[in-house]
């Protein structure tokens, strides 16, 4: 089982092996993403995310049957290992991506289990213990706390699949293009961000009326506009690297 970004060691939950396992939900997960300058978001999150983060796209994994998977990311920083929305134990942004909110749980395919997904947890997360916190099982059955987590994970997986189909449709129309962002800070430092995809404006405006109507009916015109608006946040991120003047 592979460990996605943010996770240390995923382990499938077992009602017998983990009968006494508890989680302290108060412990902040923000430090887990302090060195992540981007994070996956689903299409349904664009409306909230576009107000704070640039939303870009990246090529995900190796092409399958000649088709390259595309995934959207919320940009959290313009330097490697830099997350401008984490300060100590606090997440300073107004919106917390669902990818972060699901932690320390995740749905994952277990080796040898085919396409079945299992609820997993990050065994290395220090908020787990057998002594204190929210119990995951009671009398061999999932507690309401765990059932609520399961419901959130299932919704996240559904939205992830929907997002995959959204990006597939946009890719079929060849609407992505490689982009590069450059910024110069007052201290002379230059920021150069590349390796991401954005909307190809020329090809977008060249779509036929039938293609535009199809995108509209699929609800994708709104998503495209949210992506376009979000790109204005690139300069806002660059400005956050500028230290505030001394009092």
């Amino acid at each position: 089982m592979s460990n996605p970004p943010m996770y240390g060691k995923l382990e499938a939950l077992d009602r017998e092996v983990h009968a006494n396992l508890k989680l302290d939900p108060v412990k902040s997960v923000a430090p887990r993403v302090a060195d992540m300058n981007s994070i996956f978001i689903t299409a349904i999150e664009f409306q909230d995310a576009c107000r704070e983060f640039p939303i870009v796209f990246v090529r995900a994994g190796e092409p399958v049957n000649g088709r390259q998977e595309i995934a959207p990311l919320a940009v959290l920083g313009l330097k490697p290992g830099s997350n401008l929305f984490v300060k100590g134990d606090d997440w300073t942004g107004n919106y917390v991506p669902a990818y972060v909110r699901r932690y320390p749980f995740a749905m994952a395919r277990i080796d040898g289990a085919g396409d079945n997904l299992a609820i997993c947890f990050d065994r290395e997360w220090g908020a787990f213990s057998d002594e204190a916190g929210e119990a995951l099982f009671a009398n061999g059955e999932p507690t309401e706390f765990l059932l609520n987590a399961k419901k959130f994970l299932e919704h996240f997986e559904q939205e992830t699949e929907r997002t995959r189909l959204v990006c597939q449709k946009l890719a079929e129309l060849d609407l992505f293009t490689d982009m590069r962002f450059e910024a110069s800070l007052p201290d002379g430092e230059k920021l150069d961000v590349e390796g991401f995809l954005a909307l190809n404006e020329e090809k977008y405006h060249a779509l036929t009326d039938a293609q535009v109507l199809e995108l509209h009916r699929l609800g994708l015109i709104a998503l495209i506009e949210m992506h376009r608006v979000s790109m204005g946040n690139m300069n806002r991120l660059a400005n956050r690297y500028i230290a505030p003047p001394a009092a």
Side-chain angles (χ1 to χ4, degrees):
M1 185 193 316
S2 61
N3 298 305
M6 187 180 178
Y7 292 80
K9 183 179 180 181
L10 280 181
E11 182 176 324
L13 272 176
D14 185 289
R15 69 181 66 207
E16 295 181 1
V17 177
H18 306 115
N20 299 316
L21 193 64
K22 299 177 177 63
L23 171 67
D24 176 8
V26 177
K27 186 176 176 65
S28 173
V29 305
R32 299 293 298 184
V33 292
D35 61 351
M36 295 175 61
N37 67 351
S38 63
I39 202 161
F40 171 77
I41 59 170
T42 59
I44 199 172
E45 299 179 84
F46 277 30
Q47 183 170 355
D48 291 312
C50 74
R51 298 168 183 169
E52 290 189 89
F53 322 118
I55 299 172
V56 301
F57 299 85
V58 293
R59 298 176 179 89
E62 296 297 324
V64 178
N65 297 324
R67 175 177 292 167
Q68 177 68 63
E69 293 287 334
I70 304 295
L73 298 177
V75 179
L76 308 175
L78 301 180
K79 301 178 182 180
S82 168
N83 186 334
L84 292 166
F85 296 90
V86 173
K87 186 176 183 179
D89 287 339
D90 298 325
W91 177 272
T92 61
N94 293 311
Y95 181 71
V96 182
Y99 186 99
V100 178
R101 284 182 278 132
R102 70 173 181 165
Y103 188 83
F105 299 107
M107 286 285 198
R109 287 178 174 81
I110 307 301
D111 295 337
D115 291 332
N116 293 328
L117 293 175
I119 300 178
C120 301
F121 71 104
D122 188 350
R123 173 47 98 179
E124 295 183 354
W125 180 229
F128 285 110
S129 73
D130 290 342
E131 289 77 37
E134 293 280 357
L136 304 186
F137 298 99
N139 300 317
E141 297 297 327
T143 61
E144 183 177 359
F145 177 80
L146 182 56
L147 289 175
N148 286 336
K150 179 175 181 287
K151 183 178 180 181
F152 185 88
L153 292 173
E154 290 173 339
H155 180 68
F156 181 80
E157 290 300 319
Q158 292 168 359
E159 290 302 324
T160 296
E161 175 61 15
R162 174 174 173 260
T163 302
R164 186 186 70 81
L165 295 175
V166 164
C167 291
Q168 180 178 305
K169 183 62 182 178
L170 298 179
E172 287 174 357
L173 294 173
D174 196 23
L175 291 181
F176 293 118
T177 188
D178 289 285
M179 293 291 291
R180 183 177 182 179
F181 174 79
E182 296 178 340
S184 296
L185 303 186
D187 63 1
E189 181 181 2
K190 294 187 180 299
L191 299 179
D192 189 356
V193 183
E194 55 186 353
F196 64 92
L197 304 171
L199 180 72
N200 186 315
E201 296 283 348
E202 183 177 344
K203 291 183 178 180
Y204 180 51
H205 291 298
L207 291 175
T208 66
D209 290 347
Q211 290 172 324
V212 172
L213 180 59
E214 181 184 15
L215 289 178
H216 172 70
R217 287 177 172 171
L218 292 173
L220 302 190
I221 293 293
L223 291 178
I224 290 172
E225 291 308 310
M226 291 174 197
H227 157 64
R228 295 173 78 189
V229 168
S230 79
M231 295 304 286
N233 291 321
M234 280 291 194
N235 285 319
R236 295 188 182 95
L237 286 189
N239 290 335
R240 293 183 67 153
Y241 284 104
I242 302 172

